Amino acid sequence: MIRRLAYVSRPRTNLPATEIPRIIVAARANNARYGISGILVYTGTDFAQLIEGGPPAVATLWQRIGTDDRHVDMTLLLDEHDTTPWFPDWRVGYLSDRGLPDRFAEWRARGRTLPDAERITLRRLLAAADAY
C-alpha cells in the first residue's frame, strides 16, 4: 500500500532561481533514501508536486514540506492510498503553459476536493512535464 499526495504552491517572492536546482538535488537524494517517488513540476510561477511511497515516509516528508519557507500558498490537492504508483521513479519537469497558473488557482480555490476528471487532468499534466 502506498500513500499518494499532491499539492501546488508558489515560490516565495525572493527565491533565487539558483535555488531550484538545489531543491531538485536534495529531493532526489532524500527521496531515494526514503523510498519516495513522484514528480516535481516548476512552471516559473508555481510548483506542483506529487509524492508516493510508504505512508510513514510520505507523512514525514509532507511535514517537512509544510515547514519549508521556500514556498508559500501551499494547497493540498490529493491525499489517497493506492496499490500502484502513478510515477514509480522520481522525476522533475518544467512546463511553460501560460494557462497553468489559472488552473492552479482553480485547484487552490477547491482545496483537496479534486473531482475524478481533475485528478486525471493532474496526472496528465504531470506526465506531460516529465516528457520535457
Side-chain angles (χ1 to χ4, degrees), residues 36-65:
I36 300 286
S37 64
I39 185 164
L40 172 66
V41 174
Y42 179 62
T43 68
T45 58
D46 293 276
F47 290 110
Q49 184 169 17
L50 183 136
I51 57 175
E52 301 173 304
V58 170
T60 299
L61 178 57
W62 180 236
Q63 188 173 24
R64 254 195 349 238
I65 289 169

Side-chain angles (χ1 to χ4, degrees), residues 13 15 18 34 42-43 50 52 54 56 62 77 101 105-106 124 129:
T13 305
L15 185 73
T18 56
Y34 297 110
Y42 179 62
T43 68
L50 183 136
E52 301 173 304
W62 180 236
L77 301 176
E106 284 177 35
R124 285 183 182 150

Side-chain angles (χ1 to χ4, degrees), residues 1 60 120:
M1 182 66 64
T60 299
I120 293 167

